[in-house]
Amino acid sequence: MNKLGYPILSVLIFLPVAGALLLLLINRSRENLIKWLSLVTSIATFIISIPLFTNFDKGTYLMQFVENTEWIKSLNINYHLGIDGISILFVLLSALITILCILISWNSITLKVKEFYISLLVIEGAIIGVFCSLDLVLFYLFWEAMLIPMYLLIGVWGGEKRIYAAIKFFLYTLAGSVLMLVGIIVLYFHSGSTFNLLELIEKTYPYKLQLWLFWAFFAAFAVKVPMIPVHTWLPDAHTEAPTAGSVILAAVLIKMGAYGFLRFSLPLFPEASKAMAPAMMILSVIAIIYGGIICLAQTDLKRLIAYSSVSHMGFVTLGIFALNFQGMEGGILQMINHGIITGGLFLSVGIIYDRTHTRQISEYGGVASVMPVYSGVFMVLTLAAIALPGTNGFIGEFLIILGGFKAKQLIGILAASGVVIGAAYMLWFYQRIFFMETNRKVKGLNDINLREAVALLPMIILIFWIGIYPEAFLSVMHESVRNLISHINSHTGNSAMIEKNILEIIR
């Protein structure tokens, strides 16, 4: 039931697309008009998204703000949208991040300005569509719809190796998506010809089929997260993408993979998910430690943050596949946290890169002496990234490690070591950039201006808001997470024996 009386989810998906279409009609020479229209569209989308939060019923796990209309009747495909406690925060985050991306790109994008902002708005609509879709075909269409504009964002406005990075991103994502499409088709024929996610969840599938379908969907979601060993596209894409592209990748796009595990893999294939949970936790811990150690050897600003994302997303998948309340809520919250912190870090790196045109850490030093406000903001982001109590990073990682301990003590201990490694590389990184002898490249740099401060301010507010009062965000997901875990635990059988065997191997 849509309690607002109008199709708010459709508005959120298609308002950015309508803005992009409007940009097509504007002469490319009117760059200021293009920028302002993009900004107004993104702000309007964010404002319209606020009633989702204020009208959200925290007392139920059922889908809310539902829209369901027949689309392709012969194939039983519906235009079916809805959100619950697992998806609502991602919709809000996507709407907020687009505003910040437009603000930070205001002066740095000078090539094909119209096409750049069209791409940003199309990506926003597609990503919100992914988080709202309750029909598998609709989900797949939105999933694929963001591929082309994101490819263009990296390939047209990226760095020197942008073509290589863009093609690598495209091929990895497409290969995973094709396997997921095969899984969707198999599911359709086996379930009695429906793509309705809520109906599919209610059905029971043979255990062996669940395993095959789990891996088919895994191929798409693991690439997006990205999990080891299919993570190699991420550092290249992050490094070569323009600042806005890096921010979108870090803040929302890679969340689509972890969201896919929660929305599709766990409820559709509960027995397979339980059986594979130990293996997924092992891969997650490897990502946490490997990503952290690799960060210690990085010489490029963006590449270091990119590898830190591999480590942080390892925490997310660990929390999800701990399959308990603390771990799963921690995983969801950490996805939001990572979007805020890493999005903020990429915004900050973009600010200083625009002034120096270098990403080499060795060419910085002493930035704190010339850009004190910027240094203070970066310090807050750094402390949040290393999960200092009082910041949002602490809440998410604490819940995940708690969930990891509950699932398996050794897993929890290994994950906790990732926090120490994270603190080491982030503080060392901060020391090399902001302290030590002032490098000639940073002498005379201007501190952040009002536009840049406005872009970073929401990140700082959210870091402390979630860090000090996380219940405002955790409370929206309680019922949905509780229902998902209950659904998984209600399915036992072959998975129990396999899970036990894998745990024995870990021991």
Side-chain angles (χ1 to χ4, degrees), residues 59 98 104 146 173 207 244 253 257 271 278 303 326 421 457 462:
T98 307
I104 209 67
M146 66 84 218
T173 305
Y207 177 67
L253 196 140
E271 283 193 75
R303 209 164 181 85
Q326 293 86 353
I421 298 171
L457 185 62
L462 286 168

Side-chain angles (χ1 to χ4, degrees), residues 298-301 304 359-364 429 432-433:
Q298 295 308 306
T299 58
D300 184 295
L301 285 168
L304 186 149
R359 295 195 309 262
Q360 291 303 307
I361 296 173
S362 59
E363 294 187 295
Y364 288 94
F429 167 68
R432 285 181 289 169
I433 299 292

Side-chain angles (χ1 to χ4, degrees), residues 178-409:
V178 169
L179 289 173
M180 180 172 68
L181 179 61
V182 173
I184 290 174
I185 293 171
V186 171
L187 205 56
Y188 172 77
F189 285 113
H190 198 277
S191 62
S193 305
T194 180
F195 292 109
N196 186 321
L197 176 65
L198 303 182
E199 290 181 14
L200 291 169
I201 290 173
E202 296 301 319
K203 297 180 183 296
T204 304
Y205 308 99
Y207 177 67
K208 286 187 178 177
L209 178 64
Q210 282 195 39
L211 279 178
W212 282 109
L213 291 174
F214 178 88
W215 288 110
F217 279 76
F218 173 85
F221 301 149
V223 166
K224 271 291 196 302
V225 169
M227 293 184 77
I228 287 177
V230 288
H231 67 288
T232 60
W233 66 270
L234 184 73
D236 292 322
H238 267 319
T239 305
E240 299 303 324
T243 299
S246 297
V247 173
I248 287 182
L249 271 171
V252 287
L253 196 140
I254 61 176
K255 309 301 181 304
M256 288 163 47
Y259 173 77
F261 285 131
L262 288 161
R263 178 61 75 223
F264 298 94
S265 300
L266 299 187
L268 285 171
F269 322 119
E271 283 193 75
S273 298
K274 287 182 74 174
M276 292 298 112
M280 300 296 284
M281 286 194 289
I282 292 170
L283 284 176
S284 301
V285 169
I286 291 172
I288 290 169
I289 297 174
Y290 165 82
I293 291 173
I294 292 293
C295 283
L296 291 168
Q298 295 308 306
T299 58
D300 184 295
L301 285 168
K302 292 179 79 174
R303 209 164 181 85
L304 186 149
I305 300 172
Y307 273 109
S308 76
S309 289
V310 174
S311 181
H312 285 135
M313 291 307 290
F315 276 104
V316 169
T317 50
L318 171 62
I320 291 172
F321 284 95
L323 299 183
N324 54 50
F325 190 75
Q326 293 86 353
M328 205 170 285
E329 285 209 340
I332 297 170
L333 187 65
Q334 192 61 6
M335 280 195 266
I336 302 299
N337 292 338
H338 180 262
I340 295 165
I341 297 167
T342 308
L345 285 171
F346 275 119
L347 282 174
S348 301
V349 167
I351 287 171
I352 202 166
Y353 177 79
D354 287 343
R355 287 162 168 74
T356 61
H357 299 289
T358 179
R359 295 195 309 262
Q360 291 303 307
I361 296 173
S362 59
E363 294 187 295
Y364 288 94
V367 173
S369 62
V370 294
M371 300 177 70
V373 176
Y374 174 77
S375 304
V377 170
F378 209 105
M379 173 58 84
V380 172
L381 292 164
T382 301
L383 294 177
I386 65 176
L388 190 79
T391 65
N392 58 345
F394 171 76
I395 303 299
E397 290 191 5
F398 174 75
L399 286 171
I400 290 168
I401 293 172
L402 201 63
F405 262 98
K406 194 172 177 180
K408 180 66 186 167
Q409 285 190 359

Side-chain angles (χ1 to χ4, degrees), residues 39-68:
L39 183 62
V40 169
T41 303
S42 63
I43 291 174
T45 305
F46 178 70
I47 292 173
I48 292 171
S49 73
I50 293 173
L52 289 181
F53 195 71
T54 55
N55 289 274
F56 189 79
D57 184 355
K58 299 176 182 177
T60 177
Y61 63 84
L62 298 174
M63 290 291 168
Q64 301 180 44
F65 310 100
V66 173
E67 301 170 32
N68 193 1

